[in-house]
């Protein structure tokens, strides 16, 4: 065994029982915060649905609600990412116990991936911290849910421009329909493309970042 590693502390029956209750508590907390993630996602879907209803209520209706709802969706995304960072703490602790405490009980007791798992878990309780950055959390939520919401929003906006009040016949006409007050349609379309490409790039970066964490076998609780 590496000299930097410490010998695992042997737990008596009472301490094992306490850890079992601790695990149940961590699973419960992760479940509660997982439900909160679903709540903000549902809010995003509902607000997008409202914007779709307003913009497609009549051929003369403005596509502007589909633009403005993007601001609210981004705000909800940031809120959800903050909640995900909390959720990740409880989820990581529960997973840590499953991997290093419960799994060895089901084998020959020599399945520990990290010989210092007890110390790592103790430090996480005495010095609580987020396990991932806010940007990583945003990237994961975009990849799991919000990229699809943003794609639907963008396609709906393009569809509104293309079909209402009548079918568009030229690119210049499409740009004129996209005009918002003093802002030209070209600027609105360019902003929309940048909007969706930025979040797509964030989702790809998040995927690659998580893959590197797994491939490199980073030994932390994140």
């Amino acid at each position: 065994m590496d000299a930097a590693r410490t010998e695992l502390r042997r737990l008596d029956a009472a301490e094992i029982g306490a850890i079992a209750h601790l695990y149940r508590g961590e699973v419960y907390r992760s479940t509660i915060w997982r439900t909160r993630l679903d709540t903000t996602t549902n809010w995003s879907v509902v607000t997008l649905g409202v914007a779709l209803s307003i913009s497609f209520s009549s051929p003369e209706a403005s596509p502007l609600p589909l633009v403005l709802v993007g601001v609210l969706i981004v705000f909800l995304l940031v809120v959800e990412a903050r909640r995900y960072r909390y959720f990740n703490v409880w989820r990581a602790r529960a997973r840590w116990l499953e991997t290093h405490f419960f799994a060895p009980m089901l084998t020959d007791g020599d399945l520990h991936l990290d010989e210092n798992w007890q110390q790592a878990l103790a430090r996480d309780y005495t010095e609580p911290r987020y396990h991932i950055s806010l940007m990583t959390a945003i990237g994961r939520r975009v990849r799991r849910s919000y990229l699809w919401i943003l794609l639907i929003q963008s396609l709906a906006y393009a569809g509104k421009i293309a079909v209402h009040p009548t079918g568009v016949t030229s690119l210049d006409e499409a740009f004129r329909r996209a005009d918002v007050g003093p802002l030209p349609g070209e600027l609105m379309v360019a902003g929309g493309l940048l909007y969706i490409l930025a979040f797509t790039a964030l989702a790809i970066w998040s995927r690659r970042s998580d893959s590197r964490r797994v491939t490199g076998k980073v030994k932390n609780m994140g």
Side-chain angles (χ1 to χ4, degrees):
M1 183 180 295
D2 195 304
R5 294 177 177 175
T6 58
E7 184 178 354
L8 290 174
R9 181 176 181 274
R10 295 187 178 276
L11 305 174
D12 59 31
E15 290 170 330
I16 291 176
I19 289 181
H21 286 293
L22 176 65
Y23 171 74
R24 291 175 58 191
E26 296 296 354
V27 170
Y28 175 76
R29 289 201 286 188
S30 65
T31 301
I32 293 297
W33 281 89
R34 184 67 183 84
T35 302
R36 294 184 178 185
L37 296 181
D38 292 337
T39 300
T40 44
T41 302
N42 291 341
W43 290 346
S44 298
V45 172
V46 169
T47 54
L48 177 58
V50 172
L52 288 170
S53 299
I54 295 173
S55 292
F56 284 91
S57 60
S58 69
E60 293 75 25
S62 172
L64 186 58
L66 290 171
V67 177
L68 296 179
V69 76
V71 178
L72 184 56
I73 289 175
V74 171
F75 170 75
L76 291 172
L77 169 61
V78 174
V79 171
E80 185 165 322
R82 290 181 64 250
R83 292 180 174 182
Y84 182 84
R85 296 180 80 192
Y86 282 102
F87 159 77
N88 187 68
V89 172
W90 320 133
R91 179 207 60 80
R93 288 175 179 174
R95 182 58 181 160
W96 197 254
L97 285 168
E98 290 169 354
T99 303
H100 299 290
F101 181 71
F102 290 106
M105 288 184 179
L106 304 176
T107 61
D108 58 3
D110 192 29
L111 192 63
H112 301 292
L113 301 181
D114 186 341
E115 294 296 337
N116 293 322
W117 73 269
Q118 292 176 343
Q119 289 72 27
L121 183 60
R123 280 196 304 272
D124 201 61
Y125 279 111
T126 57
E127 302 172 7
R129 59 179 179 81
Y130 292 121
H131 297 160
I132 58 174
S133 67
L134 179 62
M135 189 58 65
T136 298
I138 291 175
R140 288 183 182 180
R141 298 319 298 160
V142 169
R143 193 173 81 239
R144 305 279 172 80
S145 303
Y146 278 79
L147 185 59
W148 302 106
I149 297 174
L150 298 172
L151 285 173
I152 292 172
Q153 176 200 1
S154 301
L155 290 174
Y157 179 77
K160 173 66 178 179
I161 296 298
V163 303
H164 282 171
T166 58
V168 69
T169 57
S170 67
L171 185 60
D172 184 66
E173 181 184 358
F175 284 141
R176 298 292 68 78
R177 292 184 182 184
D179 290 345
V180 176
L183 299 179
E186 291 85 351
L187 180 61
M188 296 298 297
V189 172
L193 289 174
L194 180 62
Y195 173 77
I196 196 65
L197 289 175
F199 282 106
T200 300
L202 183 58
I204 294 173
W205 169 81
S206 172
R207 176 64 180 175
R208 291 180 176 177
S209 177
D210 286 344
S211 295
R212 285 194 297 269
R213 289 164 65 93
V214 174
T215 303
K217 296 181 180 180
V218 179
K219 293 183 178 180
N220 58 35
M221 296 178 60

